[in-house]
Amino acid sequence: MFNIAVKKGHENVSLLGIGAYRPQRIVSNAEVCEVLDSSDEWIYERSGIRNRRWISGDETAKSMAVAAAERAIKNSGIDKEQIGALVLATGSWKTKIPHGAPQVAHELGINGIAAFDLASGCGGFGYGLGVATDMIRSGSAEYVLVIGVETMSVVMEPTDRNTAFIFGDGAGAVVVGPSERNGISPTVWGSDGENSAAISQNYDIPAYMDRAEALQAQGADAEQIGRMVVSMEGPRVFRWAAITLPKALGSILSESGVAIEDIEVFVPHQANARINDLMKKNLGLGDDVPVANDIENTGNTSAASIPLAMEEMLVTGKAKGGQLALLLGFGAGLSYAGQVVILPPVPVETSF
């Protein structure tokens, strides 16, 4: 008989630093409505969005991910050579092969580390944070870089009233590592594949390729062929959220061992400001507990929204490093993931 070695990790894990990148181009509701049959008032009333950021010039998902990661590493105070793994949460990376994480690691100067993409829609950052935390606790890595990055402007249809006004681009990153006291609760996560079609692509990849080939043979141009884009059934998603998210939030608090009265900051996924306010009310959070509202000027950035929202709250003083925050990401899959965390220090290197 033989015994396979077991690594011993760190029981206490925390967010050591945070960084973000926001594209230079600010797109107002008025600009969106130049091609979308809507109005500034209608968009703001239903979503809480006034502006969003879209990539332009030489900005890409990779450049944003690298910039956010560099800031997170600097703000953590650790040497980048100490990072043993990189988790890239994204649903809009332009290629499936090769995946993005190794490219980002190479650009950061840490080529050779474990690096992988994680696709879980708008819940991607929560999933990535859960995986990173468990890697450190198991001994698979000592420090892990978790990045959420999206270029949603590239994968949405600008005339679709269900999606065109919602999405924005950006990247947020955190360095996760061992700490004197635990700063990240066990992750509560789940999915509902029965309702997965509520947020989907208009074509699967083989179907789109077959369609494009057939139309090209008929002499169609690029505009006639169209694009592969995100589609969403808003009412169906809302019904799922109304049933699923209250249970998820209750489970997060239960698993964390923290009372609702101890929560000092609420950072939900930036899908809809009205839904977030409703969740706060239903949770019974005090009026003095700030709720992230990065959606107003950043839009819904899917897997990047929670780290972007955390960074905004810390930079603007709405939240402070060391405070206890409740996180919850949710969306495509349909899936969700959340934790209670101690917020990282206020970043010195910021996206503002």
Side-chain angles (χ1 to χ4, degrees):
M1 294 292 292
F2 54 86
N3 293 318
I4 297 175
V6 177
K7 267 192 173 183
K8 185 177 181 181
H10 299 272
E11 183 176 351
N12 295 333
V13 184
S14 291
L15 302 176
L16 305 182
I18 189 168
Y21 182 89
R22 299 167 192 272
Q24 297 299 306
R25 182 185 174 195
I26 300 173
V27 181
S28 66
N29 288 343
E31 183 175 346
V32 169
C33 292
E34 290 176 5
V35 294
L36 181 70
D37 181 18
S38 188
S39 69
D40 173 53
E41 294 80 9
W42 187 92
I43 291 172
Y44 181 70
E45 181 182 338
R46 285 159 179 77
S47 67
I49 299 172
R50 295 190 187 277
N51 302 289
R52 72 281 295 142
R53 303 283 189 112
W54 289 352
I55 58 171
S56 61
D58 59 358
E59 293 173 326
T60 64
K62 182 164 70 173
S63 71
M64 292 194 298
V66 169
E70 287 177 335
R71 287 170 175 162
I73 294 168
K74 288 180 181 177
N75 290 327
S76 73
I78 72 162
D79 293 330
K80 65 181 179 181
E81 289 76 16
Q82 294 178 268
I83 295 171
L86 189 157
V87 182
L88 185 71
T90 183
S92 57
W93 197 264
K94 66 180 181 180
T95 58
K96 295 296 182 184
I97 304 171
H99 57 292
Q103 300 172 57
V104 175
H106 171 68
E107 291 289 329
L108 289 169
I110 49 176
N111 193 48
I113 67 170
F116 58 92
D117 291 9
L118 187 154
S120 191
C122 300
F125 178 78
Y127 272 79
L129 183 57
V131 169
T133 302
D134 289 347
M135 289 173 72
I136 297 166
R137 289 184 175 139
S138 70
S140 296
E142 187 166 20
Y143 294 93
V144 180
L145 180 61
V146 181
I147 308 169
V149 62
E150 301 286 10
T151 50
M152 297 303 294
S153 65
V154 178
V155 296
M156 61 88 177
E157 167 53 51
T159 61
D160 184 350
R161 281 174 59 87
N162 292 312
T163 59
F165 66 91
I166 295 173
F167 292 117
D169 303 336
V174 292
V175 174
V176 187
S179 55
E180 291 186 4
R181 63 168 180 158
N182 188 45
I184 304 175
S185 77
T187 301
V188 171
W189 38 19
S191 65
D192 179 10
E194 182 179 359
N195 286 297
S196 60
I199 304 175
S200 62
Q201 298 170 188
N202 56 343
Y203 300 101
D204 63 42
I205 294 173
Y208 179 78
M209 293 174 68
D210 290 345
R211 178 178 185 273
E213 185 177 345
L215 289 173
Q216 282 178 332
Q218 298 169 20
D221 60 21
E223 185 175 348
Q224 291 169 318
I225 292 171
R227 300 186 304 136
M228 188 185 301
V229 295
V230 172
S231 62
M232 182 169 65
E233 300 174 36
R236 186 175 176 185
V237 175
F238 185 86
R239 288 193 298 270
W240 171 81
I243 295 170
T244 306
L245 300 187
K247 296 177 182 177
L249 289 165
S251 296
I252 294 168
L253 290 170
S254 177
E255 288 292 322
S256 72
V258 171
I260 188 65
E261 294 80 12
D262 295 324
I263 296 297
E264 298 172 286
V265 182
F266 183 33
V267 191
H269 165 51
Q270 301 296 284
N272 185 295
R274 307 298 175 249
I275 292 176
N276 291 345
D277 288 340
L278 183 61
M279 282 195 290
K280 177 186 177 180
K281 180 180 178 181
N282 290 341
L283 269 170
L285 290 169
D287 292 340
D288 59 333
V289 175
V291 179
N293 192 39
D294 195 42
I295 190 173
E296 183 171 353
N297 289 301
T298 305
N300 177 345
T301 55
S302 190
S305 81
I306 287 180
L308 280 168
M310 280 198 291
E311 193 239 16
E312 190 272 343
M313 295 188 84
L314 289 166
V315 171
T316 60
K318 297 171 188 172
K320 300 175 182 178
Q323 287 187 309
L324 205 59
L326 173 61
L327 315 181
L328 177 64
F330 53 91
L334 298 173
S335 57
Y336 63 88
Q339 300 93 351
V340 170
V341 305
I342 295 174
L343 290 175
V346 175
V348 176
E349 297 277 343
T350 78
S351 63
F352 291 92

